[in-house]
Amino acid sequence: MFKNIALITGASSGIGRYLSVELSRKGFEIILASRDLDKLNDTAALIDQDGGKSHIVSVDVSSEDSIKRLYEKSSKIGFVGTVINNAGFGKFDKIQDIDVKDWDAQLSINLRGSFLITKFFSESMIKKKKGMFVYVNSVAGKKAYPYSSAYVASKFGLLGFSRSMRSELREHNIKVVSVHPGAVDTAFWNNVKGDFPRSEMMDSKNVANSIAHAICVPDNMVIEELDIQRTEGEF
């Protein structure tokens, strides 16, 4: 018997994939959400190998209609007690060279998507007086970096949103966790200009395990903000 249903956006790769696998090992039934169905199937296969249970739902977190369909499909599976907003997008350039479409996409995926998912999924949690929202943010949600104006703006906004939700939902026994990893070796860096040694970055599995620990604390406790950084600090 699975103890909880967890929804994870951006479950097709990186932290989202390994967090899905780790939570499955801890007894969660997993709803895997992303735009890339082929990669979601790969994540589901890893869960199946461990004897876990998962469901695949295609979603575009920047689309209200898509998130509404995600909520409807998820509700048919059961009560989703843990919602992990992990989907994210970053594109970095000088302010004068940023395309307006790229700016809007980062704000939509990184911030608006979390708002929409929280809006839909909070209703059932409030009724049941239990639940958890996890926002996988970034160190860029607490510290500004050059050539990252849209990404930093979206992540600072996500931190403010998560803190507001914590204050609003606490009375309903709903936990809110904001996670701020430093550099993690994922495909995120494939198109980032800069001399960042990937071999020295944190491993996705290790970061996912740390997040899973924060999710699984005792019922009357919550790790409200989790900063995860290399022992050596930033690059």
Side-chain angles (χ1 to χ4, degrees), residues 114-132:
S114 290
F115 151 68
L116 289 169
I117 286 175
T118 305
K119 176 179 172 63
F120 281 106
F121 282 87
S122 60
E123 184 176 357
S124 57
M125 292 186 188
I126 290 172
K127 288 179 180 179
K128 287 186 175 289
K129 290 287 184 179
K130 64 178 181 179
M132 175 185 287

Side-chain angles (χ1 to χ4, degrees), residues 133-162:
F133 287 102
V134 179
Y135 302 95
V136 180
N137 198 309
S138 165
V139 67
K142 293 187 173 182
K143 180 178 179 180
Y145 296 90
Y147 314 114
S148 311
S149 57
Y151 186 74
V152 166
S154 69
K155 293 300 188 178
F156 265 70
L158 184 59
L159 175 60
F161 177 74
S162 69

Side-chain angles (χ1 to χ4, degrees), residues 83-116:
V83 174
I84 300 155
N85 294 276
N86 173 69
F89 166 64
K91 191 167 183 179
F92 308 99
D93 213 333
K94 296 178 181 178
I95 186 64
Q96 64 268 30
D97 296 329
I98 296 173
D99 189 276
V100 174
K101 290 182 179 179
D102 290 335
W103 173 278
D104 289 345
Q106 289 174 84
L107 270 291
S108 281
I109 293 171
N110 298 345
L111 181 55
R112 185 172 181 267
S114 290
F115 151 68
L116 289 169

Side-chain angles (χ1 to χ4, degrees), residues 33-46:
S34 172
R35 289 180 295 182
D36 194 324
L37 292 178
D38 289 337
K39 289 184 178 180
L40 284 182
N41 279 312
D42 292 339
T43 303
L46 293 174

Side-chain angles (χ1 to χ4, degrees), residues 2-234:
F2 296 96
K3 64 182 179 182
N4 198 346
I5 297 176
L7 165 71
I8 304 178
T9 65
S12 55
S13 62
I15 293 172
R17 168 173 291 177
Y18 293 116
L19 183 55
S20 300
V21 173
E22 183 62 23
L23 289 180
S24 175
R25 290 171 179 167
K26 292 182 179 296
F28 285 77
E29 184 174 347
I30 310 295
I31 300 174
L32 306 168
S34 172
R35 289 180 295 182
D36 194 324
L37 292 178
D38 289 337
K39 289 184 178 180
L40 284 182
N41 279 312
D42 292 339
T43 303
L46 293 174
I47 292 173
D48 290 344
Q49 289 174 11
D50 286 340
K53 185 175 183 180
S54 65
H55 311 267
I56 291 175
V57 181
S58 174
V59 67
D60 175 0
V61 298
S62 66
S63 165
E64 181 177 3
D65 289 340
S66 183
I67 290 178
K68 184 178 181 180
R69 288 192 294 271
L70 171 66
Y71 174 69
E72 291 170 349
K73 291 178 181 179
S74 298
S75 297
K76 291 179 181 178
I77 294 169
F79 169 63
V80 181
T82 303
V83 174
I84 300 155
N85 294 276
N86 173 69
F89 166 64
K91 191 167 183 179
F92 308 99
D93 213 333
K94 296 178 181 178
I95 186 64
Q96 64 268 30
D97 296 329
I98 296 173
D99 189 276
V100 174
K101 290 182 179 179
D102 290 335
W103 173 278
D104 289 345
Q106 289 174 84
L107 270 291
S108 281
I109 293 171
N110 298 345
L111 181 55
R112 185 172 181 267
S114 290
F115 151 68
L116 289 169
I117 286 175
T118 305
K119 176 179 172 63
F120 281 106
F121 282 87
S122 60
E123 184 176 357
S124 57
M125 292 186 188
I126 290 172
K127 288 179 180 179
K128 287 186 175 289
K129 290 287 184 179
K130 64 178 181 179
M132 175 185 287
F133 287 102
V134 179
Y135 302 95
V136 180
N137 198 309
S138 165
V139 67
K142 293 187 173 182
K143 180 178 179 180
Y145 296 90
Y147 314 114
S148 311
S149 57
Y151 186 74
V152 166
S154 69
K155 293 300 188 178
F156 265 70
L158 184 59
L159 175 60
F161 177 74
S162 69
R163 288 179 174 175
S164 179
M165 286 299 94
R166 184 177 298 118
S167 297
E168 182 173 334
L169 299 176
R170 193 189 302 276
E171 65 178 289
H172 302 291
N173 193 39
I174 297 170
K175 302 179 182 182
V176 174
V177 180
S178 183
V179 184
H180 298 261
V184 182
D185 185 15
T186 68
F188 178 89
W189 297 95
N190 290 350
N191 298 313
V192 176
K193 298 177 183 178
D195 185 20
F196 301 105
R198 298 277 290 267
S199 61
E200 296 182 20
M201 293 181 179
M202 294 183 292
D203 182 78
S204 295
K205 291 182 181 180
N206 294 335
V207 173
N209 289 344
S210 297
I211 298 171
H213 172 75
I215 291 170
C216 295
V217 297
D219 286 343
N220 66 339
M221 295 170 54
V222 58
I223 297 175
E224 295 186 340
E225 291 185 10
L226 177 63
D227 295 344
I228 307 175
Q229 187 60 274
R230 300 189 317 153
T231 304
E232 297 179 45
E234 295 184 7

